[in-house]
């Protein structure tokens, strides 16, 4: 999900967790535990780790390697233009991939990202699209690494285990548009908290504070909401409403339980714990007597019961299967290499495992990559396509043209292109995407919008579609986009 030109933050979250035990070797039994964090989250980079550890004299060795770490090139001069700042980050990542993780490499990466953060905070960083790609690269490079560290500090030595772990960020969509916040949504004790002001202002409300009563006041039309700080209740037009948890302040931002949006402004709010997506629809819709979650899509359900059954099946499928999926399955290594720029050599006679893997990756995700979809976006789209395909499969086509709904496919187990497209639409919608169904020459297809481009997902592949061109050639939209209208 790329930010637009006005956005200066992205949904990227990687942490390096370090727990160190200091042991003095001169007759003392005392030990001191310290925890450090290096966080890449919305361009907010903690300086605690590098400041606390210090860089001089430290070495880092890969847990599975016996080689002596290579000394890292030091950057001695910094420039303030966007391109050079991004180049410094990419330099650090290149050194890290070639020589392994060292404290000097981590320091270089930290320093480069900190320079970018400072410029972003001053609203002086304009290359947001390139920044997004660089941060996704940083995340994928760091994610999943595990290293042992030994530091010599005078008469002390430190032994610690560092685990670099990707934490799945919480994504928020409002009326189909991905949102990016300086303070990310967080989950505590099963409750999702979102930044109050950002969310409500996006929904068209005005947010003010009454310092005398320590109350947040939200107004929209005839609705007045009062939220006393430190309390687990609010007032909506004078009526007391209990919150699922108290709101609180994090990094100067007031956080509120996302489910309060339902009772305060009547918005539709759905929380998908897998893959951590909050979908907010500002105006809940009823279509043909059916209350729907995503845009005006009923998935051709005949009644509310059918619709609810379909969405229950879709949610359970996503929750059960998403985290199990491995990008590219058995060829994960080569799919990731493809994302990093490796390509099929063009010789189909070369049946080496790597060349075959890159060839298959090209056929599967090549058009996503060529359209400029981010690495994170490609992986998430591939997994979603896999989910939709497996859920819609295993049905019988009676050949009479009668199957037309997702319910026909998922419950009655009869299907054709119409019912198949409705299942795909339901799964992609539930994952926060914008979908539509188009028909032409007696055939229906579901199209999905991924980072601004329309694609037709197939059996493990994506075909980029010129929607306007298709419409000019006579194709018809039979189910409008989840969000927005196309005439």
């Amino acid at each position: 999900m790329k930010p637009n030109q006005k956005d200066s933050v992205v949904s990227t979250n990687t942490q390096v967790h370090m727990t160190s035990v200091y042991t003095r070797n001169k007759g003392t039994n005392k030990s001191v535990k310290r925890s450090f964090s290096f966080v890449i989250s919305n361009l907010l980079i903690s300086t605690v780790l590098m400041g606390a550890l210090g860089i001089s004299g430290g070495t880092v060795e890969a847990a599975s390697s016996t080689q002596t770490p290579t000394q890292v090139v030091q950057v001695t001069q910094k420039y303030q233009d966007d391109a050079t700042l991004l180049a410094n980050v990419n330099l650090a990542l290149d050194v890290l991939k070639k020589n392994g993780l060292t404290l000097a490499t981590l320091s270089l990466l930290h320093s480069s990202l900190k320079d970018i953060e400072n410029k972003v905070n001053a609203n002086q960083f304009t290359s947001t699209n390139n920044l997004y790609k660089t941060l996704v690269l940083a995340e994928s490079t760091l994610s999943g690494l595990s290293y042992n560290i030994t530091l010599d500090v005078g008469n002390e030595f430190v032994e610690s285990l560092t685990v670099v772990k990707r934490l799945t960020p919480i994504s928020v969509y409002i009326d189909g548009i991905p949102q990016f916040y300086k303070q990310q949504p967080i989950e505590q004790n099963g409750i999702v908290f979102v930044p109050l002001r950002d969310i409500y202002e996006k929904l068209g409300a005005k947010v003010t504070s009454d310092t005398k009563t320590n109350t947040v006041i939200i107004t929209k039309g005839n609705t007045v909401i009062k939220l006393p700080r430190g309390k687990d209740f609010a007032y909506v037009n004078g009526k007391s409403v209990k919150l699922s948890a108290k709101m609180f302040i994090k990094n100067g931002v007031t956080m509120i339980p996302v489910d309060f949006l339902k009772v305060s402004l009547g918005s539709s709010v759905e929380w998908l714990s897998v893959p951590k997506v909050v979908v907010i629809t500002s105006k809940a819709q009823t279509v043909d007597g059916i209350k729907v979650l995503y845009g005006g899509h009923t998935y051709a359900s005949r009644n509310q019961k059918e619709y609810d059954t379909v969405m229950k099946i879709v949610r359970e499928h996503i929750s059960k299967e998403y985290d199990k999926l491995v990008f590219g399955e058995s060829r994960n290594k080569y799919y990731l290499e493809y994302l990093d720029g490796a390509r099929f050599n063009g010789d189909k006679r070369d049946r080496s495992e790597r060349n075959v893997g890159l060839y298959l990756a090209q056929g599967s995700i090549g058009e996503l990559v060529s359209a400029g979809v981010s690495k994170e976006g490609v992986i998430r789209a591939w997994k979603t396509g896999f989910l939709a395909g497996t859920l819609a499969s295993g049905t019988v086509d009676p050949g009479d043209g009668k199957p037309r709904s997702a319910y026909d496919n998922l419950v009655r187990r009869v299907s054709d292109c119409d019912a198949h497209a409705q299942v795909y639409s339901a799964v992609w919608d539930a994952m926060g995407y914008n979908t539509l169904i188009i028909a032409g020459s007696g055939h229906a297809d579901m199209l999905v919008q991924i980072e601004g481009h329309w694609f037709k997902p197939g059996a493990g592949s994506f075909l980029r579609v010129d929607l306007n061109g298709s419409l000019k050639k006579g194709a018809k939209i039979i189910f409008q986009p989840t969000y927005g209208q196309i005439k």
Side-chain angles (χ1 to χ4, degrees), residues 353-396:
E353 181 181 348
R354 182 174 185 270
N355 203 45
V356 170
L358 292 173
Y359 175 76
L360 293 174
Q362 178 176 297
S364 174
I365 60 174
E367 295 215 11
L368 291 172
V369 173
S370 64
V373 176
S374 65
K375 290 184 180 181
E376 183 183 60
V378 171
I379 294 172
R380 190 167 184 269
W382 184 92
K383 287 186 175 183
T384 303
F386 192 97
L387 286 173
T390 54
L391 186 61
S393 64
T395 58
V396 176

Side-chain angles (χ1 to χ4, degrees), residues 221-383:
N222 295 324
T223 302
V224 179
I225 305 159
K226 294 183 178 181
L227 289 149
R229 295 187 184 276
K231 305 295 183 181
D232 62 355
F233 61 86
Y235 296 100
V236 179
N237 289 337
K239 182 179 179 180
S240 179
V241 177
K242 187 173 178 60
L243 301 176
S244 56
K246 295 179 181 179
M247 63 180 185
F248 60 88
I249 295 177
K250 183 175 180 63
N251 297 324
V253 177
T254 299
M255 307 294 288
I256 192 169
V258 70
D259 56 5
F260 182 65
L261 293 169
K262 296 179 183 179
V263 295
S264 59
L265 291 182
S267 300
S268 168
V269 179
E270 185 175 19
W271 163 238
L272 295 173
S273 57
V274 177
K276 294 187 179 295
V277 174
V278 176
V279 179
I280 301 171
T281 304
S282 60
K283 296 179 180 178
Q285 295 191 53
T286 299
V287 180
D288 297 330
I290 301 172
K291 293 181 179 179
V292 298
L293 292 171
Y294 310 108
H297 289 179
T298 65
Y299 314 113
S301 301
R302 297 166 180 84
N303 51 55
Q304 190 72 52
K305 183 178 179 181
E306 284 193 4
Y307 177 86
D308 292 343
T309 299
V310 166
M311 296 318 301
K312 181 175 185 291
I313 292 171
V314 168
R315 287 194 200 95
E316 288 178 350
H317 183 64
I318 292 172
S319 179
K320 181 180 178 181
E321 302 297 333
Y322 187 86
D323 277 347
K324 296 179 182 178
L325 293 179
V326 176
F327 174 56
E329 297 186 281
S330 62
R331 293 181 170 85
N332 168 260
K333 175 181 177 180
Y334 306 114
Y335 274 58
L336 292 174
E337 283 189 23
Y338 190 89
L339 291 183
D340 285 333
R343 294 293 181 267
F344 161 62
N345 64 15
D347 183 2
K348 292 185 178 180
R349 294 172 299 177
D350 180 354
R351 305 297 296 174
S352 64
E353 181 181 348
R354 182 174 185 270
N355 203 45
V356 170
L358 292 173
Y359 175 76
L360 293 174
Q362 178 176 297
S364 174
I365 60 174
E367 295 215 11
L368 291 172
V369 173
S370 64
V373 176
S374 65
K375 290 184 180 181
E376 183 183 60
V378 171
I379 294 172
R380 190 167 184 269
W382 184 92
K383 287 186 175 183

